[in-house]
Amino acid sequence: MSKSINWGILGASNFARERMAPAIHAAQGARFHSLATSSMDKAAGFQAFQPDVQVHLDYDAVLADPEIDAVYIPLPNHLHVEYVLKAIEAGKHVLCEKPIALSAPEIDPLIARRDETGLLVAEAYMIVHHPQWQRVRHLVKDGAIGNLVHVEGVFTYNNPDPTNIRNTAAKGGGGIPDIGVYTYGATRWVTGQEPLDITHADIHFENGVDTIARVSAQFDGFSAHWVNSMRMHPLQDMTFHGDEGIIRLTAPFNPNVFDIAQIEIHQPDLGLRVERFPAEDHYKNQVEAFGRAITTGADYPWTLEDAQGTQAVIDRVFAKAKS
């Protein structure tokens, strides 16, 4: 990489402290330069592994810093579009947590400004940077399981805390915006297809946020069923079921946290094969891929159009539930 990318982070969220800031710190060609937070107490957790990080008490100070090349935005969902646009206007490349917007049309101005400025603007959809998902995509497209017949996706956890941001409607909370993006988006990314129809959407709401969602969709040649919940025991599983085999990911979304990253490949003549990826960090891979795209012009595997496609599915799911 020809140039080290100086990163600023807008907001001292727990996720930024535990995952993305360490990933930026560890990534080749990246430097965790600045943090914006209203709480110096929260900054201490970041300074523990990057003592010389510059801490600012407002977001605009980071955006105004000419030394910052790129910003990572882990703010509450309802603030994403606003601060992505502010960062673009400040001339920064932007990596924003998912969902980057709360409806598909909200992404149109982000695409327009990206194209006008030539900046890299992307949603932090880290799973496409993990080799287990790259391998699954190749296997399915290569016909390793014959014709794809059905996709089954489950991502659940139990978070009943009413003060948690995920349980706050006004801040864009809900299980589908938080984790439905993974079951829906992974299906789209692996197959390269969009659903022809959302055939069923059974969604339970509490205080304006979805807490349990059972959704079925029909694609060209295959069906999909997705379960997402913030009120169920933690489970992650993605299965691609063909007429000549099965591919199953047992820790598809939080590999090496939920469980070891591995793919089970079931084929009639070859039996069961298991491929494991114990050392991969998709957050670090994401930061390095972002840097390569900026410095060398390499393709970035998750575009704003990709994010908008998943958000369009989410919009259709909610519309189906209301109908």
Side-chain angles (χ1 to χ4, degrees):
M1 204 174 288
S2 58
K3 176 183 181 296
S4 181
I5 303 298
N6 282 335
W7 284 83
I9 296 179
L10 304 186
S13 71
N14 290 337
F15 181 80
R17 185 188 74 250
E18 295 170 0
R19 302 291 177 215
M20 280 301 296
I24 293 170
H25 182 62
Q28 182 178 3
R31 177 171 177 250
F32 177 27
H33 183 284
S34 297
L35 171 71
T37 175
S38 60
S39 169
M40 290 303 295
D41 289 340
K42 289 185 178 180
F46 296 81
Q47 292 169 319
F49 60 87
Q50 179 78 335
D52 63 347
V53 64
Q54 295 184 19
V55 179
H56 301 277
L57 296 179
D58 66 84
Y59 304 145
D60 290 341
V62 171
L63 295 179
D65 188 341
E67 293 189 5
I68 298 297
D69 303 300
V71 295
Y72 166 66
I73 300 176
L75 296 171
N77 295 344
H78 71 299
L79 298 175
H80 287 177
V81 169
E82 174 187 354
Y83 276 92
V84 169
L85 288 172
K86 285 185 177 182
I88 294 172
E89 296 310 314
K92 311 303 183 187
H93 302 282
V94 189
L95 183 65
C96 179
E97 261 313 315
K98 49 79 201 158
I100 199 168
L102 295 177
S103 71
E106 290 182 352
I107 302 177
D108 286 332
L110 308 186
I111 293 173
R113 292 300 289 135
R114 176 203 64 187
D115 293 346
E116 291 163 2
T117 61
L119 295 166
L120 177 57
V121 183
E123 183 181 65
Y125 199 66
M126 73 291 183
I127 67 170
V128 301
H129 303 280
H130 199 290
Q132 70 169 346
W133 277 108
Q134 295 161 1
R135 176 73 167 141
V136 168
R137 191 186 199 200
H138 170 75
L139 287 168
V140 170
K141 291 189 173 183
D142 201 41
I145 56 173
N147 296 310
L148 182 62
V149 178
H150 182 70
V151 177
E152 192 77 20
V154 179
F155 193 176
T156 64
Y157 60 83
N158 191 5
N159 179 5
D161 178 5
T163 66
N164 188 275
I165 195 170
R166 293 170 181 83
N167 289 307
T168 306
K171 295 184 177 180
I176 292 175
D178 189 40
I179 52 179
V181 293
Y182 292 121
T183 51
Y184 304 174
T187 303
R188 294 179 54 253
W189 191 72
V190 167
T191 65
Q193 288 199 35
E194 305 295 341
L196 302 175
D197 187 27
I198 304 299
T199 57
H200 178 76
D202 176 16
I203 302 179
H204 178 71
F205 290 88
E206 295 178 22
N207 300 316
V209 299
D210 65 284
T211 56
I212 304 175
R214 305 170 185 88
V215 175
S216 298
Q218 184 61 49
F219 291 75
D220 183 11
F222 69 94
S223 58
H225 181 243
W226 305 303
V227 176
N228 297 107
S229 178
M230 303 192 298
R231 297 294 186 272
M232 296 170 66
H233 187 76
L235 177 63
Q236 297 181 27
D237 195 279
M238 283 290 294
T239 301
F240 296 82
H241 200 152
D243 58 4
E244 296 179 6
I246 297 170
I247 297 173
R248 178 175 176 241
L249 298 91
T250 57
F253 309 120
N254 294 123
N256 299 330
V257 176
F258 178 76
D259 201 350
I260 189 171
Q262 69 176 29
I263 304 168
E264 296 177 358
I265 306 168
H266 304 254
Q267 293 170 308
D269 298 330
L270 299 175
L272 170 63
R273 290 181 293 133
V274 178
E275 299 181 5
R276 294 183 173 89
F277 305 83
E280 292 290 340
D281 180 347
H282 53 191
Y283 301 112
K284 177 174 172 285
N285 293 348
Q286 177 178 243
V287 173
E288 292 179 348
F290 197 89
R292 284 193 298 272
I294 292 172
T295 58
T296 71
D299 288 338
Y300 192 73
W302 188 256
T303 65
L304 287 178
E305 287 81 1
D306 292 320
Q308 189 173 47
T310 296
Q311 186 59 52
V313 176
I314 292 173
D315 295 349
R316 291 170 66 186
V317 166
F318 281 129
K320 180 69 174 181
K322 291 178 181 178
S323 69

